[in-house]
Amino acid sequence: MTDPLTTEAPVAELVAALTAAGQTVATAESLTAGLLAATVAGVPGASAVLRGGLIVYATDLKASLAGVSAEVLRTEGPVAATTAEQLAVGARVRCEADWGIGLTGVAGPDSQDGHPVGTVYLGLAGGDHTEVVRLKLPGDRWTIRIGAVHSAVRELLRCVPAVPATLA
């Protein structure tokens, strides 16, 4: 049976691109609770590129495990662009990876701290590159969570250095 998590996102392409670039990835996940790392791990050969991940569903773990500033959590909250950025940096640093991905948001069924259901912040950190993408995803909890994973895969694939045609 094919891993169902890997069928709708270009995760095999991401693993191939990271492998060709000699780079690794780690995650710090809140609303996806490890789903992104599990999706990457579903690709044969992922062990060459997936360093690990931090599940930081609880707000206090965002600080203690991923290194998100207590001040950011107090002033901006767990669902914020700065939080996603610091999650990505924390995953990268703590797991000693080339790339870190941070995901935080609201999967529902209720809004959180004034953020509507479907609000997701995706942080990417690698080398001197750091960015945050704000997503507004429709659907139920599963659809939002899997949409966040698919977006993270596509966004990191966009950032990984292009593979020379002779290697593709």
Side-chain angles (χ1 to χ4, degrees):
M1 177 178 176
T2 302
D3 187 327
L5 294 175
T6 65
T7 59
E8 293 184 31
V11 68
E13 292 89 338
L14 175 61
V15 169
L18 287 166
T19 300
Q23 295 184 343
T24 57
V25 65
T27 67
E29 302 179 60
S30 183
L31 84 152
T32 52
L35 192 57
L36 174 57
T39 299
V40 174
V43 175
S47 60
V49 300
L50 180 61
R51 290 282 302 155
L54 309 167
I55 298 173
V56 291
Y57 208 72
T59 299
D60 62 309
L61 293 181
K62 290 171 180 61
S64 63
L65 293 180
V68 176
S69 159
E71 177 70 11
V72 165
L73 291 171
R74 187 180 63 72
T75 59
E76 298 182 42
V79 179
T82 307
T83 301
E85 178 181 6
Q86 290 186 8
L87 286 172
V89 170
R92 180 176 178 243
V93 169
R94 286 185 159 81
C95 294
E96 299 178 357
D98 297 298
W99 289 97
I101 302 175
L103 282 167
T104 188
V106 184
D110 300 316
S111 62
Q112 178 182 341
D113 300 328
H115 297 283
V117 172
T119 301
V120 175
Y121 291 96
L122 162 61
L124 298 164
D128 59 1
H129 178 92
T130 304
E131 70 177 274
V132 176
V133 178
R134 183 181 190 273
L135 306 168
K136 176 62 178 151
L137 301 173
D140 60 14
R141 285 180 60 80
W142 173 253
T143 304
I144 291 166
R145 293 173 69 229
I146 200 71
V149 167
H150 292 169
S151 295
V153 168
R154 284 190 299 272
E155 290 298 321
L156 182 56
L157 186 56
R158 177 184 55 80
C159 294
V160 173
V163 179
T166 57
L167 296 178

